[in-house]
Amino acid sequence: MAAMTGFQRFQTKYVGRTGAPVGVLMAVDHLRRTGRLLEKEITCYAVANAWFQENLPNPPFYADGNSIGAITWFRESADSMTARLDPLLAILDAKKVAWERLSTSDPGRIVYQDLWQVGVLPAFREPMTPLPYPGKLGANDWFTVRKSYL
């Protein structure tokens, strides 16, 4: 019988400012901020994002904009959470943004944990890479914009 890996992460193949590949929620927001999403996709993102905001604790390192550069991994037992990523993964697929699901027993140095996720400092960091499509990110205004889609 195979051993449980413990943690899983859904991420893109491009590297963000944390020095780690960008996670799915942020990747969909990048598409929005570069004007690449249709209204129905923005609505889909708004609904999914609101669900995560209501049901998944927000690690404290996000309070200051994540100055420590932590990333989050779901616990392997958090299938009810990760299933909620499916509509966002479909958006990434539709926009041809490559993503992957990784599993590991050692995601990095844990700096936060709750029932569903851990926040970690990655074992190593990579140089930031360009977005995988042309465009420049617009304002990080999601929580203001989101209200008009819910």
Side-chain angles (χ1 to χ4, degrees), residues 13-69:
K13 304 270 184 129
Y14 68 97
V15 176
R17 66 178 184 80
T18 63
V22 172
V24 170
L25 282 134
M26 185 58 63
V28 174
D29 194 53
H30 286 169
L31 287 164
R32 180 192 68 82
R33 289 168 55 198
T34 55
R36 294 183 125 50
L37 294 184
L38 303 170
E39 289 295 313
K40 68 180 183 179
E41 292 166 329
I42 297 173
T43 300
C44 175
Y45 172 56
V47 169
N49 180 274
W51 189 90
F52 279 107
Q53 290 295 317
E54 292 168 16
N55 293 282
L56 186 65
N58 201 25
F61 50 79
Y62 288 131
D64 75 351
N66 194 10
S67 63
I68 63 171

Side-chain angles (χ1 to χ4, degrees), residues 45-106:
Y45 172 56
V47 169
N49 180 274
W51 189 90
F52 279 107
Q53 290 295 317
E54 292 168 16
N55 293 282
L56 186 65
N58 201 25
F61 50 79
Y62 288 131
D64 75 351
N66 194 10
S67 63
I68 63 171
I71 61 171
T72 54
W73 288 71
F74 284 104
R75 293 183 184 278
E76 194 170 65
S77 58
D79 289 341
S80 62
M81 291 282 172
T82 59
R84 296 289 186 146
L85 294 173
D86 288 348
L88 303 178
L89 296 172
I91 290 171
L92 293 179
D93 287 342
K95 303 302 179 183
K96 298 184 178 10
V97 176
W99 62 272
E100 61 189 345
R101 177 189 170 276
L102 300 178
S103 296
T104 187
S105 59
D106 183 15

